[in-house]
Amino acid sequence: MDIFGWSIAELERRAELSEGGAKNIIYGKSKNPRADTLKKIAKALGCTTNDLSRDDIGEDTIANTPDIPVDAFGGSSDRILNGGMPITELDVRAGAGPGTLTEENTATHTWRVPTEVIRGYTSAPSEELKIITVYGDSMEPTLMPGQRIMVDIADRTPSPPGLFVVWDGLGLVVKRLQVIPHSDPVCVRISSDNPRYEPYERTLEEAHIQGRVIGGWRWM
């Protein structure tokens, strides 16, 4: 069994556990592991003890283990076992159209996405990935109203060009951004995929980029 590219032996080494210390937990031989053992595993993985699989470490243990946020190995927050990477969905009302007011940034759901799916597209830690919903029609047919998209909030540089969430002064909107070559100060062209909406230009600072759209999905 590998955990985002590590063998169990490698996990035990990084967590400074004796041989079998993690294996017995993963395979259910240790029903009530010690709290300090769980803390070591969580620190090695760059997650919290609450992110470890409840099925494999036991409800009683997890309930009595303090939640300790950690940020190990370059900020990686991949999760262990069958949970997948937790990606938070925010109620920000990112609208693909002008004039949509932003809502309070409230977490509405946590999606558990298989690590191998996320790592096929980005190396960003899960806390820098957010899921929001598209409103409006300015990005049709690329993005449809009601479609959920995943945004890397740490990637705010439109080079290479792509789809980004930007603040337009009234709300968060999804637009296609491209740096205008040799502009000084640096300017970006902000456009919609729906031809009914006219493109416009802003300085990079005025664009208020909130993150790059790295993927999306919708019901058929």
Side-chain angles (χ1 to χ4, degrees):
M1 176 179 178
D2 290 338
I3 301 170
F4 61 99
W6 299 352
S7 66
I8 293 178
E10 177 65 10
L11 173 61
E12 290 172 342
R13 185 188 69 81
R14 294 188 182 228
E16 299 181 348
L17 298 174
S18 59
E19 184 177 354
K23 181 178 180 180
N24 290 338
I25 297 174
I26 292 171
Y27 287 103
K29 294 181 180 180
S30 178
K31 297 298 183 182
N32 292 290
R34 294 165 53 93
D36 60 343
T37 300
L38 298 177
K39 291 178 183 179
K40 289 180 179 180
I41 293 174
K43 183 177 181 179
L45 291 169
C47 67
T48 71
T49 54
N50 284 345
D51 293 319
L52 304 179
S53 168
R54 293 178 181 271
D55 291 337
D56 288 319
I57 62 179
E59 292 285 351
D60 293 339
T61 300
I62 197 68
N64 293 297
T65 303
D67 187 22
I68 50 168
V70 294
D71 187 16
F73 299 87
S76 174
S77 58
D78 294 0
R79 293 340 195 212
I80 186 174
L81 306 178
N82 60 3
M85 290 181 65
I87 310 298
T88 302
E89 180 174 358
L90 298 178
D91 182 15
V92 295
R93 298 284 173 142
T100 302
L101 295 178
T102 182
E103 300 285 342
E104 180 183 2
N105 279 12
T106 301
T108 59
H109 300 89
T110 297
W111 294 72
R112 292 283 177 172
V113 184
T115 301
E116 59 269 21
V117 173
I118 299 297
R119 288 293 167 254
Y121 295 92
T122 180
S123 60
S126 63
E127 60 266 24
E128 293 180 355
L129 301 175
K130 305 299 178 186
I131 294 172
I132 59 177
T133 300
V134 173
Y135 293 87
D137 64 354
S138 74
M139 289 305 294
E140 290 185 0
T142 305
L143 299 176
M144 305 299 291
Q147 181 175 353
R148 285 183 171 90
I149 57 176
M150 185 176 293
V151 182
D152 181 352
I153 62 173
D155 187 351
R156 301 187 178 191
T157 304
S159 180
L163 299 183
F164 289 83
V165 177
V166 301
W167 172 256
D168 70 352
L170 292 175
L172 292 172
V173 297
V174 183
K175 296 293 182 181
R176 191 173 297 278
L177 269 60
Q178 182 176 11
V179 173
I180 299 174
H182 310 298
S183 55
D184 186 16
V186 177
C187 293
V188 293
R189 177 182 175 86
I190 303 173
S191 60
S192 305
D193 286 1
N194 187 334
R196 294 197 299 111
Y197 295 85
E198 294 291 331
Y200 55 97
E201 296 179 4
R202 294 289 186 271
T203 66
L204 186 60
E205 182 178 358
E206 292 172 338
H208 299 296
I209 300 171
Q210 304 299 308
R212 180 186 292 268
V213 178
I214 63 172
W217 63 97
R218 63 189 178 193
W219 299 109
M220 303 302 293

